[in-house]
Amino acid sequence: MRVLVTGGAGFIGSHVVEALGARGHEPVVFDVREDAGADVRDRDAVARALAGVDAVCHQAAMVGLGNGFTDAAEYVSRNDLGTAVLLTGMAEAGVRRLVLAGSMVVYGEGRYLCEWHGVVRPGPRTVADLTAGRFEPVCPACGEALSPGLVGEDAPVDPRNVYATTKLAQEHLAAAWARSTDGTAVSLRYHNVYGPRMPRDTPYAGVASFFRSALARGEAPHVFEDGAQRRDFVHVRDVAAANVAALEASSPVGALTVYNTGSGEPHTVGAMARALAAAYGGPEPVVTGEYRLGDVRHITADSSRLRAELGWKAETGFEDGMREFARARLRDE
């Protein structure tokens, strides 16, 4: 297939391009990093890029927490308007296969079990609780402690910041496009992606990048809260392989299919910081107790559907991945 990869010069997109090439496909990079005119909000540029294309792998997005509204219009413009323009171009060009870079942030908090009330959905954590160091959500019915678990694709969505809201809107747009064009659309809800070419210390980098950048400066990684927040750290090459698997799959026509895309091995943020520091050679992480309002406490994926339906599985283990990442080159963007 000839595959247009939006954001194909970026962190994840560049690995998708390599993975596509390795499978014998022809990737076409569409990215403002390589061409200032390659903006997914530009209908003419998108139309030119779609010429002769069989499928689209949509990675281009403004990423980050987006916990305030200062950048809300920019998030919506880049992520949602850009996706709408791209899908319009695909409809007009007759391109009927899409893989979307989704995100686990659409879930909000993860899955929690109360001993007395079963599966519950705690509300956003309060400033008072976070300031007092009460980081764990409690049962909204009885106030008792909760046990975190894995989130399945059928869990209710609850985006809790601007970025998360735009990622959910992208999925709704993709679903509407698939229905109206008899297209196939897959959203891969990425968990915490890390690996070579990750952007260094920018406002939009993931926590792994911040820790790695600190180590490169000879500084200790600063871990927020108590370090016990659970995440699923998945290697970028595994994410790229998931994109290729989704592009090659016989997905349902006229609908959006979503897959959690994680390693299946939850780790705490503190454990990740310690593993990365040990692989790099120190210094040891510092747990600060600080917090960011809008962060969720625990969010880890059940990626069994992706494994069962597409035959994909994460190949890079946590320890091996962290050892590689400790010495990997970071990007300056």
Side-chain angles (χ1 to χ4, degrees):
M1 285 187 288
R2 181 176 168 88
V3 183
L4 182 68
V5 184
T6 69
F11 166 45
I12 298 175
S14 64
H15 286 275
V16 172
V17 166
E18 288 180 357
L20 285 167
R23 287 284 294 178
H25 299 293
E26 181 185 354
V28 178
V29 174
F30 186 80
D31 196 307
V32 293
R33 299 171 185 84
E34 293 195 350
D35 179 357
D39 188 329
V40 290
R41 295 168 294 185
D42 185 327
R43 294 188 65 158
D44 292 337
V46 167
R48 289 192 296 271
L50 287 168
V53 162
D54 303 301
V56 173
C57 189
H58 185 28
Q59 305 293 318
M62 181 177 180
V63 299
L65 182 62
N67 61 330
F69 268 79
T70 304
D71 295 329
E74 190 69 12
Y75 273 102
V76 171
S77 176
R78 293 195 190 188
N79 296 354
D80 298 336
L81 175 60
T83 298
V85 170
L86 175 66
L87 294 173
T88 300
M90 291 174 65
E92 294 171 347
V95 181
R96 297 292 183 262
R97 182 172 292 272
L98 170 72
V99 174
L100 172 68
S103 175
M104 54 81 179
V105 295
V106 300
Y107 296 118
E109 280 285 357
R111 186 178 189 273
Y112 293 90
L113 184 67
C114 173
E115 182 179 0
W116 307 107
H117 295 96
V119 176
V120 297
R121 293 188 63 78
R125 297 178 295 171
T126 66
V127 171
D129 281 342
L130 292 169
T131 301
R134 295 188 293 269
F135 302 122
E136 293 290 344
V138 296
C139 177
C142 65
E144 292 297 317
L146 300 173
S147 299
L150 299 180
V151 179
E153 289 90 347
D154 297 328
V157 291
D158 184 19
R160 296 190 175 184
N161 55 59
V162 170
Y163 170 64
T165 302
T166 65
K167 295 305 290 183
L168 183 57
Q170 284 184 313
E171 291 192 348
H172 289 319
L173 288 165
W177 167 83
R179 284 192 296 269
S180 66
T181 65
D182 287 331
T184 63
V186 174
S187 178
L188 299 175
R189 290 177 175 171
Y190 300 161
H191 279 247
N192 291 72
V193 186
Y194 74 96
R197 301 178 214 148
M198 200 170 190
R200 71 176 74 245
D201 256 346
T202 76
Y204 310 116
V207 65
S209 172
F210 278 104
F211 292 168
R212 173 66 175 77
S213 297
L215 290 165
R217 297 191 302 269
E219 301 171 2
H222 282 201
V223 180
F224 279 12
E225 300 186 19
D226 58 0
Q229 53 272 50
R230 288 158 50 99
R231 297 291 188 269
D232 186 322
F233 298 99
V234 58
H235 196 278
V236 66
R237 285 195 299 273
D238 289 324
V239 168
N243 275 269
V244 176
L247 282 166
E248 295 178 343
S250 298
S251 300
V253 173
L256 173 71
T257 306
V258 299
Y259 293 108
N260 287 332
T261 308
S263 70
E265 299 180 359
H267 292 86
T268 67
V269 172
M272 186 273 285
R274 290 191 295 273
L276 188 57
Y280 192 84
E284 286 290 310
V286 174
V287 177
T288 67
E290 298 176 67
Y291 63 87
R292 295 189 304 183
L293 195 63
D295 274 354
V296 298
R297 179 61 173 174
H298 304 296
I299 177 69
T300 52
D302 178 357
S303 298
S304 58
R305 179 184 292 179
L306 181 58
R307 293 194 295 272
E309 295 186 7
L310 300 190
W312 171 93
K313 66 176 182 177
E315 300 288 350
T316 304
F318 179 75
E319 297 295 338
D320 288 342
M322 288 298 155
R323 279 194 291 269
E324 179 195 21
F325 185 47
R327 297 300 173 186
R329 179 179 64 87
L330 299 181
R331 302 168 68 104
D332 291 325
E333 55 183 329

